[in-house]
Amino acid sequence: MVQMKFELMRDFVDDVVNRNAGQRSRLTAILHEIQKKYKYLPEQALRYVAEIMKIPISDIYGVATFYTSFSIEPKGRHIITVCMGTACHVRKSPSVLEEICRYLGVNPGETTKDMRFTVETVNCLGACAMGPIMVVDGSYYGEMDASKVVPILEKYKEEREIISVDPTGKITIPEELEAYRHFVKEKRYPNGTKSIDICCGPGCAALGSLEIADTIEAALKLHGLDGEIIVRRTGCRGFCERGPIVVVKPEGIFYNKVSRKDAPSIVERSVVNDETIEPLLYEDPSDGKKYLREEEIPFYKKQKMVVLANNLEIDSCSIDDYIAKGGYGALRKALFEMSPEEIINEVEAAGLRGRGGGGFPAARKWRACRNARSIDGVKYVLCNADEGDPGAFMDRSLLEGNPHQIIEGMVIGAYAIGATNGYVYVRHEYPTALERITFAIEQAREKGFLGKNILGSGFSFDIGISQGGGAFVCGESTALMASIEGRIGEPREKYIHTAVRGLYLRPTNLNNVETWANIPIIINEGAQKFASLGTEGSKGTKIFSLVGKIRNTGLVEVPMGITLREIIYDIGGGIPNNKRFKAVQTGGPSGGCIPESLIDLPVDFDRLTEVGSMMGSGGMIVMDEDTCMVDIARYFLEFLGDESCGKCTPCREGLKHMTEIVRDICQGKGTMDQLDTLEELAAVVRDTSLCGLGQTAPNPVLSTITYFRKEYEEHINLKKCRAGVCKALITYRIDPGLCTGCMKCLKSCPVEAISGERKEPHIIYNAKCEKCGVCFDICQYDAVIRE
Amino acid sequence: MVTFVLDGQTVTAEEGWTILDAAKYYGVDIPTLCYVEGLSPYSACRICVVELIRGKKSRLVASCSCPVEEGVEIRTKSPRVINARKMLIELMLASTPNSRLLQCLASEYGVTKIRFRPEDRRCILCGLCIRMCDEQMQGGAIGFSGRGVGREVSMPFHKTPEACRECGACLYICPVCELPCKGPLKPGELCNACLDTVQIDPFPSK
């Protein structure tokens, strides 16, 4: 039975006081009624009573604390009273009390952590004939002995109360959450498993998946199925290469590259008539094999979806979807079954390391922040959603696809740390993510997962949104905090850690989006299960965005310790166009390039650092033989030079001169002396820069010099770019023997640098040629030669 | 009190002191550009870096803001520190040649060549003038604008604001306004007038 229950405390107090005519003499009666309703006298209620009855709060506080039947501490829902009268005493009531306390793990007068039981004693119930006596919620159990305690209490423990829920109201006690979950599953989604899921991640949305979803909805309506089958606009499913993606559930039929035209036929054929639409199924480009279900596709098969799992299951705008999938269960567990210290220990045992790049153990940071003293008790937890690494979009996909998991993680973290306020710092370039997380925070607040007295636990915490303004450096913790405070996003020294003095000089804990999203999983499944995946030093899974010269572009979640080869070839499907793999760049601009010789490297925090790269936020940019490593170094230097805040000398000036030197090398003007200077300068920039941006900025240069020194030397000594990228070092010419005179290149040349007659060999005029390479790409006879 | 090793000597300092405070107290010379007593530390020029060794780990820290710590070893003139300072001097001189202070540091540290493309931006962006105006003169008339290489000290919209009382404190505090001994130099030129007379002492006063 679902009935309205939610009531404002003030309304209730108003009613009670009115019924008692607001008379002072009725004060104890009024307090009894409040106590009966809430099982204790909440401070807010007493203050309100004082206000409307015009009695000083000190008087009311006096009365409330004088009488033993009142309590200003919250009480459990079941109150166990043990009679300690003389008659009961001689019949061994103390052993009954001891057994109760042992079983519940509390002392007399205390309440269990899950707020289920409060144990009290009374000095005589006047039922001495039945002694020893135990009373639970007014039911008398006479002639007790220690052996009877557990079976009786077990009954109360197992009993599932019918908790009424108001589907629109706040959830005020943990049982209501379970009731609400039940309600959502039963009432809102009676056919919970029947759905059509449309990927509305950024990639698919760009290809029109939102219109497809609308069309499918309309088609369902046409067939009268709109109440029966749910249309879910899910977050990113990872396989962006194949978008837009539509999955028909419960069968899990995976349709890829769906267009709007296909939408009605999906409903007609696949839903109404139970057929499969062959042409829309995924076909493996390497062997032409067709796959029916999502989980069978090689791209998904080797993955281990843990954090992203819900992205495939829930509508990103629906808190009900999240709750139906067990959402906020971890929060309930954390608040009512675990102490803050236990939560931190659990996260520590799970071995969770920060997913934002540094890989710092999350629990250590939490503990430092928990132990730090705040002058006014205010502490902050922040979520770093300033995902600025070019080529990385896992945070965006989580924010857009499953924002509640991040919020849940943050509330758990805040409880463990003792934080009062939180912020999500979202970069300006992610408007959809901003919209979704803002909406999700509002939903969570409405349901009572944020705000005052969360789920009736007494813990209060709320989250605000802060928006970036297009500055990569604001992903650095102190710059991010400066930006939230409304100042220039400029880092400062962290000799005093931000865990001690961070945002507004208060203890602050900052974690990245993916780190927060891992927390509910650890709390739900336990540290042991979480730590069963991964390597010695890196536990769990990691999401990578697999981009660049790779067949299956997209988002992949893999267990730590998987090799680069498995990611690139088994999941990524290898390099397209029969090109040769050259390197993979990991860790964004702060990372490095890992060469082919290290392709069997297991991917975890420590291994990547050892080879001169880093995990970073998880961008993985695959490069083939057509990529020039010197040019890549130049690209990252220019990016970082642009994004340097300009505060400290080595980063501002050093990057500028490093860029100049690498640019010289790309233009064939470099010298070997300059290469030495470059290395020397890179070492100093790394050593002396103020923040992480500068300290890691030389990585792309140093790693490419380490693994591809030969290419640098070729650029300098032979004035040759083997990949044919550095324009100053290449020329195009036409092999007269191969040229058929088809005029294709002539017509496509944007600067008219090619001349020739039909069926006669053409000529490229180097003076005019802009070296754009259009002729090279367009020629079918390989007659255009790049040197 | 905090006990630590400073250039080989075991010394004590009060808790909360920066490494620079302690070094000054014990007469150990550390060059500074963006730090002046009485203004908040900014840790931007990095010339005051020293090597901080804790156990087996060693790193460079800005002595103007890094507090002293129990049991660590601090080296103010190790090869790593000298190398870093030399490079920083070279970088700053490449953009600000006409600074007596920088040119003197170049002589002292034996910087005899600038390997980078020189230009004259006449400012090392130490921010002393900004902090002086704000913290000591309560002016708040100037600030940083732009970012990265495009960063500069400027007045809002390049117009003298009302808050400016033309007190000249910014000019007074500027570490790079004074011309080098050899007069105005072209970008890329080094003064090196006293190259052989002042050299840093590798063995600081004991």
Side-chain angles (χ1 to χ4, degrees), chain A residues 490 493 495 656 664 687-688, chain B residues 46 62 80 117 119 151:
Chain A
E490 187 182 274
E493 283 292 5
Y495 300 129
K656 172 177 178 268
D664 279 355
D687 229 11
T688 59
Chain B
R46 315 307 286 177
R80 191 172 168 195
R117 210 157 289 163
E119 54 178 331
R151 181 177 243 225

Side-chain angles (χ1 to χ4, degrees), chain B residues 2 22 58 66 131 146:
Chain B
V2 182
S58 139
C66 185
R131 276 172 289 146

